[in-house]
Amino acid sequence: MVFNTHILNNLLSNYVESIFHYKDFNPDHSIERVVPTGHLFLIFELDGFSRNTFDNNTLKPKKSFTKVWVSGMHKNYISISAHQNSEMLVVQFKPCGSYPFLQIPVEELNDKVIPAEELFSDDILLLRDSLLNPETSSDKFKIVENWLLSKFDETKTPPKDLVKAIEELRVNSNNNHNQIIEKYPNSQKHLIHQFKKYIGLTPKQLHRVLRFNDILQKIQQEQQISWTEIAYLCGFSDQSHFIKEFKHFSGFNPSEFIKNEFDKDPPNFFPLDREG
């Protein structure tokens, strides 16, 4: 399997977390649960397969996506298809990084997966076609990077005070988000408006997402898991609140999570039919 990541080192690095490309991926499942990470994704399918989203409860197909699509900010997990011999290229935007490229309030894409041409016209399909021929990941990365630079609107960049607030939430995800809101130089109402415009989520929602991802990272680092200790380290004073929050974002309570050995999987993707 090919899996390569491109870390940007120009002005795009302030807005794009990474670009990654994988090929010849052969998962041991056909449906996987994806938990929110606080990122918006632009996804290029390069293998000709149609992807599905599924109802989280019944796992019946909901929508199909081909070629290129955008997955907005999510407040809950989603269920998607996984395919044999798959190849994809993915642009992962930072929490406040997509607005200068989308140029619409990010909140409009909350909890949605939509065809990318609805935002970028058919030009995005031509870009996808241009990614099919290059053999190497690095050549594909160059094409996407140049396209991103052409779409970047400097007048749409997030205010410095907002970026600082987001960075504090990211670095201190275990702290109470109200402590960070209090440091913001304008009103709480103004901050929430800015969050919805540039990020999609409110400060509280983003804080919850980032904290859950911190929980997943701590689980992967521990050989013997103490849920009480993890709950404490992540700022939960109440064990029942921790369990409720864990199930909200993953769909499993902590004991189910370990029983299914999801702690051994990538931290944001959990197979739902490992034998399927």
Side-chain angles (χ1 to χ4, degrees), residues 107-206:
E107 183 185 27
E108 294 182 15
L109 301 175
N110 278 3
D111 299 313
K112 293 180 181 178
V113 181
I114 65 170
E117 58 267 32
E118 292 185 14
L119 297 173
F120 299 110
S121 76
D122 288 346
D123 290 347
I124 194 74
L125 301 179
L126 296 176
L127 174 64
R128 182 258 182 186
D129 290 344
S130 71
L131 295 172
L132 297 175
N133 294 324
E135 289 293 328
T136 67
S137 296
S138 59
D139 287 339
K140 297 179 192 294
F141 293 148
K142 288 177 184 177
I143 292 171
V144 174
E145 186 171 339
N146 288 335
W147 178 82
L148 286 168
L149 286 168
S150 73
K151 289 295 180 182
F152 178 72
D153 185 346
E154 191 172 3
T155 67
K156 306 292 186 182
T157 57
K160 291 182 180 179
D161 290 332
L162 178 65
V163 175
K164 183 179 179 181
I166 295 165
E167 182 61 15
E168 288 197 38
L169 274 177
R170 189 187 68 80
V171 174
N172 303 301
S173 62
N174 299 335
N175 293 346
N176 191 312
H177 68 281
N178 288 321
Q179 297 174 1
I180 294 168
I181 291 175
E182 289 169 1
K183 297 179 184 178
Y184 188 68
N186 294 306
S187 68
Q188 180 177 338
K189 182 178 180 181
H190 181 266
L191 178 62
I192 291 174
H193 172 75
Q194 295 290 80
F195 261 70
K196 289 181 177 180
K197 176 180 178 180
Y198 288 97
I199 305 166
L201 307 178
T202 66
K204 181 177 181 180
Q205 289 167 341
L206 180 63

Side-chain angles (χ1 to χ4, degrees), residues 33 212 215-216 219-220 224-232 234 236 238-264 270:
R33 179 166 294 170
F212 179 70
I215 292 170
L216 294 180
I219 290 172
Q220 286 214 321
Q224 286 191 326
I225 296 171
S226 167
W227 293 114
T228 301
E229 182 179 358
I230 289 176
Y232 173 75
C234 293
F236 291 92
D238 186 305
Q239 189 77 5
S240 63
H241 181 206
F242 170 77
I243 294 172
K244 182 179 179 181
E245 195 79 345
F246 194 97
K247 189 162 187 177
H248 169 83
F249 284 111
S250 71
F252 304 97
N253 64 43
S255 59
E256 291 172 331
F257 187 87
I258 297 303
K259 181 180 179 181
N260 285 286
E261 299 187 329
F262 293 140
D263 56 312
K264 297 180 176 62
F270 309 129

